[in-house]
Amino acid sequence: MKIGGDRGYLRIATEEAFATREQIDVFLRMIRDGQADKGMVSLWGFYGTSPSERATQILNRLLDLGEGRIASMDATGIDKAILALTSPGVQPFLDMQEARGIASRANDLLADACGRYPDRFIGMTAIAPQDPEWSAAEIRRGANELGFKGVQINSHTQGRYLDEPFFDPIFRALVESGQPLYIHPATPPDSMITPMIEAGLDGAIFGFGVETGMHLLRLITIGIFDKYPDLQIMVGHMGEALPYWLYRLDYMHQAGVRSKRYERMKPLQKTIAEYMRSNVLITNSGMAWEPAIRFCQDVVGEDRVMYAMDYPYQYEACEVQALDNMAISAEVKKKFFQTNAERWFKL
């Protein structure tokens, strides 16, 4: 595999993670001090402390914004990586000043790396949603001063979801700056995680997708796209299962609206499926599976599905090769790997 477009397209990976040492150190401190939720203990108690090959390799790769990461990209033919601060960002941090400082310094670090590798790295802004007004200002700084092309939020913030009016300054800033929002998974909050941890299903295997898909659905059904019709929200992992449930989601949502069973469930201007085709963008991060990709392209549109590797958590050269060989047209394949990302991230 080579970079440079020898197959007729560049490969732009749209959900790639990095970390900062001080971010990881706070995770570990919170675990030691008993301030971490069950999800952080499960996730970062492993990646931050385990001597296993998987944990140490991933942590080293997360912390590398230099030649090691470039070498990994070269080895798998990845031309450009869209980078964001790894989950859960600074969202669990209880000290607001600490959260703001670490997010801001992470953004500065990423901007420096993008400046050193302008043809390879593209940044997304990290924020601290627990302070919406500061986050709105940081979104504008990322867009206007740092050259970033989107914003990532790692699902819930200490059990709170973005459909609360409290978070509205974030959406206003996104729309004003013309930036897409990427909702990346986090481990489920304590209110829903216990039966998943018991079964070993709390992380990427299942819990991530369940919790993040619910988050997006909460936003759709509260009317976020009626309020902000130009807003674009991205999710990974083939849409966190929502494309495959769309028929039933629409049927039961409309039945719920008619029945007036739930106070918050009001009529919307479009169906859930229509919002998925006008305001939701999907990457295949962690889902290098042709049947799912082709189904999703058919359901939400070939212009709304993009490639992602999910580096360093899922770094497999064979997956890139499999997607290169998908039985789709050259035009659609170029959209998937390159031009959709260029369009929606305004590259």
Side-chain angles (χ1 to χ4, degrees), residues 106-300:
N107 289 332
D108 291 340
L109 182 72
L110 180 57
D112 178 70
C114 292
R116 286 184 283 113
Y117 302 98
D119 297 327
R120 308 302 298 277
F121 293 166
I122 298 147
M124 283 197 282
T125 304
I127 60 173
Q130 54 269 55
D131 186 339
E133 292 292 352
W134 179 87
S135 293
E138 190 69 359
I139 289 169
R140 297 184 185 99
R141 185 174 83 95
N144 299 328
E145 299 177 25
L146 303 182
F148 290 165
K149 300 299 183 179
V151 176
Q152 179 166 296
I153 294 178
N154 300 286
S155 201
H156 72 92
T157 300
Q158 300 174 36
R160 302 181 70 178
Y161 289 91
L162 292 168
D163 55 302
E164 291 185 35
F166 173 77
F167 296 106
D168 194 62
I170 292 170
F171 289 105
R172 291 201 305 270
L174 287 165
V175 172
E176 289 168 8
S177 60
Q179 298 252 295
L181 170 64
Y182 202 120
I183 301 181
H184 184 279
T187 48
D190 284 354
S191 58
M192 66 183 293
I193 199 173
T194 299
M196 297 183 190
I197 285 183
E198 291 171 350
L201 299 175
D202 53 297
I205 187 173
F206 185 69
F208 279 1
V210 170
E211 197 272 342
T212 308
M214 181 189 72
H215 195 163
L216 176 57
L217 200 55
R218 287 179 67 118
L219 285 164
I220 294 173
T221 57
I222 202 65
I224 194 67
F225 297 125
D226 291 349
K227 185 172 184 179
Y228 296 113
D230 294 331
L231 177 67
Q232 297 292 322
I233 295 181
M234 302 176 175
V235 289
H237 319 102
M238 245 37 275
E240 313 295 6
L242 296 188
Y244 314 99
W245 294 354
L246 265 182
Y247 184 93
R248 184 168 175 82
L249 289 172
D250 262 339
Y251 183 93
M252 288 301 177
H253 175 255
Q254 290 162 30
V257 169
R258 288 193 303 270
S259 72
K260 301 181 181 179
R261 178 179 175 182
Y262 301 101
E263 173 61 27
R264 66 164 271 154
M265 194 169 282
K266 306 296 185 184
L268 301 175
Q269 295 174 13
K270 298 180 182 180
T271 66
I272 294 173
E274 287 170 334
Y275 291 116
M276 293 288 288
R277 291 191 282 266
S278 64
N279 296 90
V280 175
L281 298 156
I282 292 171
T283 81
N284 81 303
S285 55
M287 285 283 284
W289 192 27
E290 182 176 347
I293 293 167
R294 295 181 68 175
F295 177 83
C296 199
Q297 288 172 329
D298 185 52
V299 169
V300 305

